[in-house]
Amino acid sequence: MERIEIDGVQEALERFAHKDVYIHLETTNGAYARHFDSNAYNVGAFIRNAQVRYTQAKIVGHESYRIGLKTENGWIYAEGLTDWEIDKHDRLLMAGHDVEGRLMVSLEISETPFD
Amino acid sequence: MDQQHVVIILPHPDDEAFGCSGTILEYRKNNIPVTYLCGTLGEMGRNMGSPFFANRETLPEIRKKELQDACKALDIDLQMLGYRDKTLEFEDRGEVAEHLKSILEDIQPSLVITFYPGHAVHPDHDAMGAAAIKAVERMDPDHRPEVWAKAITHNRHEMLGEPDVVNDVKDQFEDKMKVIEAHRSQAEGMLSKFRNSPEFGDMDSEGMKMLRYEEFYKWDFNS
Ligand SMILES: [Zn+2]
């Protein structure tokens, strides 16, 4: 993955608009947050292969980015994205990582289901 | 050491390395067959490296390769069960137990090592341990293997008492470190910190003790 380049991502987001696409959306602070710090809470959410069609997409921010996808009946949103790539299956992969390279959030869009 | 065949049932590639690889290495030195039933590929791991060596979609293949390398270093058989990381607790426990039971009936082990449900910190650990114990419970009592359960909560000794088995794996330590290092994506950051810390090599320091003494509770099916 590379640091997000806002125009490249915006263009890629638009390529998937008005199509039935599969979404992977995830946020996590790890399964051991509370084990290592009794004041911490484990939080996370995960959805894989949700099929949606969005009509509008926008990336906003600098250094760390927010992305919103407006769907026919609602919204999809992710915050804290830092890195992106188009992988060899033409999927748009985006994620936010901390300084040690640990994934904190990810949003991925594909025209075919994820494994 | 009087086992015929040992089966390890844990959910993540690397669980075996940290928790019981010294014990496994000892069994293998005594020519006792060991089979690892690994529940998932750790698909939801968070370490992507700095610089990146993986992303969410490439991580499973990388961890699968690491798992195979670790099993080679351990000289054990590997069966990947095909569940998905972080979802094991939501599977039907009876179905997972039946799946495990069919494999156990095939192998007929004398010992099963798994996590202690409720004392294994990660929900997948708890769920895998519970399913493994259920699987053994459902077996014919005359052919049931022993079960050793691994607890890793901070308060395990207060809650469960002293462990029934404490293996000092000092003699296997170098090889155990090689098994841990086979799981590069998981171990790299932690190990480089550890290796550079003053306690590394000091066999009585807290960090080393965790790796040196492999503790297990014998599961009592009669209580
Ligand atoms: Zn684990």
Side-chain angles (χ1 to χ4, degrees):
Chain A
M1 288 191 143
E2 306 286 334
R3 296 294 295 180
I4 280 181
E5 190 266 299
I6 196 164
D7 295 334
V9 172
Q10 182 65 45
E11 206 175 289
L13 288 169
E14 280 164 18
R15 278 212 305 276
F16 289 100
H18 306 287
K19 288 179 184 168
D20 290 325
V21 292
Y22 295 87
I23 299 280
H24 168 104
L25 177 64
E26 163 192 3
T27 173
T28 175
N29 65 349
Y32 298 98
R34 193 171 178 82
H35 188 62
F36 292 122
D37 175 1
S38 58
N39 293 316
Y41 294 90
N42 295 343
V43 294
F46 166 65
I47 186 166
R48 190 164 175 87
N49 285 329
Q51 212 184 2
V52 303
R53 178 181 276 256
Y54 59 83
T55 53
Q56 191 179 305
K58 197 189 275 187
I59 175 166
V60 182
H62 73 276
E63 289 176 5
S64 165
Y65 299 85
R66 300 174 299 283
I67 287 176
L69 309 175
K70 187 172 194 176
T71 65
E72 280 156 358
N73 297 312
W75 285 92
I76 291 167
Y77 164 90
E79 177 168 20
L81 300 162
T82 52
D83 302 280
W84 79 303
E85 75 174 65
I86 305 280
D87 79 354
K88 62 179 180 200
H89 305 293
D90 271 326
R91 302 179 294 197
L92 172 58
L93 312 184
M94 296 165 286
H97 301 92
D98 67 13
V99 287
E100 288 168 70
R102 285 177 304 206
L103 185 143
M104 300 185 292
V105 57
S106 84
L107 172 61
E108 303 177 342
I109 305 171
S110 169
E111 288 190 51
T112 53
F114 293 96
D115 292 338
Chain B
M1 277 296 141
D2 55 345
Q3 300 294 346
Q4 279 77 59
H5 195 141
V6 179
V7 171
I8 314 292
I9 306 179
L10 302 168
H12 306 126
D14 84 353
D15 288 336
E16 86 297 347
F18 290 103
C20 57
S21 56
T23 302
I24 296 171
L25 287 160
E26 271 171 29
Y27 283 129
R28 290 303 300 131
K29 282 207 172 135
N30 288 287
N31 269 318
I32 295 160
V34 177
T35 303
Y36 182 15
L37 310 183
C38 187
T40 78
L41 292 178
E43 291 91 343
M44 296 296 275
R46 299 178 68 213
N47 294 330
M48 302 302 169
S50 178
F52 299 129
F53 53 74
N55 62 47
R56 174 53 75 238
E57 300 307 318
T58 59
L59 188 66
E61 272 305 309
I62 291 170
R63 293 196 70 178
K64 184 177 177 179
K65 175 73 171 52
E66 291 172 351
L67 174 63
Q68 288 163 334
D69 289 347
C71 288
K72 208 170 281 173
L74 284 164
D75 186 28
I76 62 175
D77 287 330
L78 168 66
Q79 285 191 41
M80 290 172 276
L81 300 177
Y83 295 102
R84 191 181 172 87
D85 195 11
K86 289 190 115 171
T87 65
L88 255 174
E89 64 180 325
F90 307 116
E91 294 278 0
D92 183 280
R93 181 153 307 153
E95 267 174 41
V96 180
E98 282 305 310
H99 181 189
L100 296 174
K101 179 170 161 256
S102 68
I103 301 170
L104 292 176
E105 281 171 344
D106 200 38
I107 298 176
Q108 301 209 345
S110 52
L111 171 64
V112 167
I113 293 178
T114 191
F115 275 118
Y116 198 117
H119 279 273
V121 179
H122 190 299
D124 284 337
H125 296 174
D126 286 330
M128 190 91 264
I133 286 165
K134 194 182 263 296
V136 175
E137 212 162 36
R138 288 181 177 184
M139 291 173 78
D140 172 2
D142 295 334
H143 294 97
R144 263 186 206 154
E146 269 187 270
V147 173
W148 293 1
K150 176 111 209 137
I152 57 173
T153 41
H154 295 306
N155 65 356
R156 62 190 182 278
H157 293 164
E158 290 132 68
M159 302 295 287
L160 304 173
E162 291 301 309
D164 302 300
V165 179
V166 181
N167 282 344
D168 180 353
V169 301
K170 183 163 62 100
D171 294 342
Q172 320 297 335
F173 206 78
E174 272 310 303
D175 289 335
K176 174 167 181 167
M177 292 306 282
K178 280 184 201 145
V179 176
I180 293 174
E181 280 161 13
H183 296 283
R184 283 170 301 272
S185 68
Q186 303 307 297
E188 222 163 44
M190 191 212 81
L191 276 189
S192 66
K193 264 185 219 151
F194 189 50
R195 278 201 182 281
N196 291 327
S197 81
E199 41 173 63
F200 186 76
D202 172 2
M203 279 302 197
D204 293 316
S205 68
E206 273 315 302
M208 292 296 267
K209 271 188 193 161
M210 277 289 290
L211 291 171
R212 173 177 169 177
Y213 296 102
E214 296 182 355
E215 298 177 0
F216 306 95
Y217 292 88
K218 291 189 179 180
W219 197 263
D220 181 1
F221 285 96
N222 299 315
S223 67

